[in-house]
Amino acid sequence: DAFPDAIRQPDKNGRLALHLACSYPRVSMGLLTMLVSAFPAALKTFDKQGALALHIAIRRKLPKELVLYLIDKAVGAARTREASSRMFPLHLACQAGADEELIEKLFEVYPKAIDEVDSNGNTFFHVACMQRRLTVELAEKLLHMSTFKTIRQTNEDEALPLHIACQNRLPLEVLLLLSDCYPEALVYKDKRGN
């Protein structure tokens, strides 16, 4: 009651109370719902690094229920790139090792993100292959979401998702899935000759 407009005031990094709450791994659903209902525009406000609260929540690996709540309250945020990395929330979720349900929700909300690339030319599948925890089950789901273009897309190092998967020593079953989808990848060389 002493300063009711505090929720609308950014800090020196351009972060509002909602951004800060999403940075805290132990934030409660109660606090998030209070902040969103008090100032819904915060969901669409970028900080100085070009991140929305949803981007921060995914990067900080907030519980799935909290991230799904943010998506439901601001579907447009799931269709918006983070400025610094040029990643969509789908890329960020793959980078964070999010579970299937969250990845499927982000795909459902913005399926075009599968063919979009980040600042390094990586598709969401490149980013997923950077996670050593990528399971065969999740890789299968991601492949079902993917287009032929996604599997054949090279990044700025001219690496395919299969190159990234090999570099990160993903399970053989994942490598076989990728090579079955695009057999030519087995003889394609990246900039380093791999």
Side-chain angles (χ1 to χ4, degrees):
D1 289 341
F3 186 37
D5 284 336
I7 199 167
R8 292 175 172 80
Q9 299 300 314
D11 68 6
K12 66 180 180 179
N13 296 313
R15 291 191 169 181
L16 298 169
L18 182 61
H19 292 95
L20 296 172
C22 289
S23 299
Y24 183 62
R26 297 174 69 171
V27 66
S28 69
M29 179 66 85
L31 179 60
L32 277 188
T33 56
M34 188 271 304
L35 291 171
V36 169
S37 63
F39 188 46
L43 290 163
K44 299 175 185 174
T45 303
F46 291 92
D47 67 9
K48 287 185 178 177
Q49 286 74 45
L52 296 170
L54 177 62
H55 299 139
I56 295 166
I58 294 170
R59 278 198 182 277
R60 297 293 297 192
K61 301 178 183 181
L62 290 191
K64 172 180 61 182
E65 297 75 27
L66 301 179
V67 178
L68 291 171
Y69 168 78
L70 292 171
I71 294 168
D72 288 338
K73 289 298 180 182
V75 173
R79 299 180 185 122
T80 306
R81 289 183 191 268
E82 179 185 63
S84 60
S85 68
R86 305 277 305 140
M87 286 188 182
F88 282 95
L90 180 60
H91 290 79
L92 295 170
C94 289
Q95 183 182 56
D99 77 354
E100 291 176 30
E101 183 182 355
L102 180 55
I103 289 171
E104 287 175 347
K105 177 69 173 181
L106 290 165
F107 173 73
E108 175 189 313
V109 171
Y110 191 58
K112 291 180 181 180
I114 61 169
D115 288 326
E116 297 287 346
V117 295
D118 67 11
S119 60
N120 297 313
N122 294 309
T123 65
F124 86 106
F125 214 98
H126 285 92
V127 176
C129 289
M130 292 174 192
Q131 297 309 307
R132 293 179 188 227
R133 298 178 310 248
L134 182 63
T135 64
V136 175
E137 296 78 23
L138 183 54
E140 286 176 335
K141 288 219 181 238
L142 296 176
L143 280 170
H144 287 288
M145 293 176 190
S146 299
T147 63
F148 192 59
K149 177 184 171 187
T150 308
I151 302 305
R152 296 178 61 145
Q153 179 75 37
T154 58
N155 64 14
E156 67 180 18
D157 292 326
E158 297 178 14
L160 294 163
L162 180 60
H163 291 107
I164 306 294
C166 290
Q167 290 167 2
N168 287 290
R169 299 184 176 148
L170 293 184
L172 178 61
E173 294 85 1
V174 173
L175 303 179
L176 291 173
L177 278 171
L178 288 168
S179 64
D180 286 347
C181 288
Y182 183 41
E184 293 87 354
L186 294 171
V187 294
Y188 185 87
K189 292 186 178 186
D190 65 10
K191 276 186 179 177
R192 296 182 186 116
N194 296 321

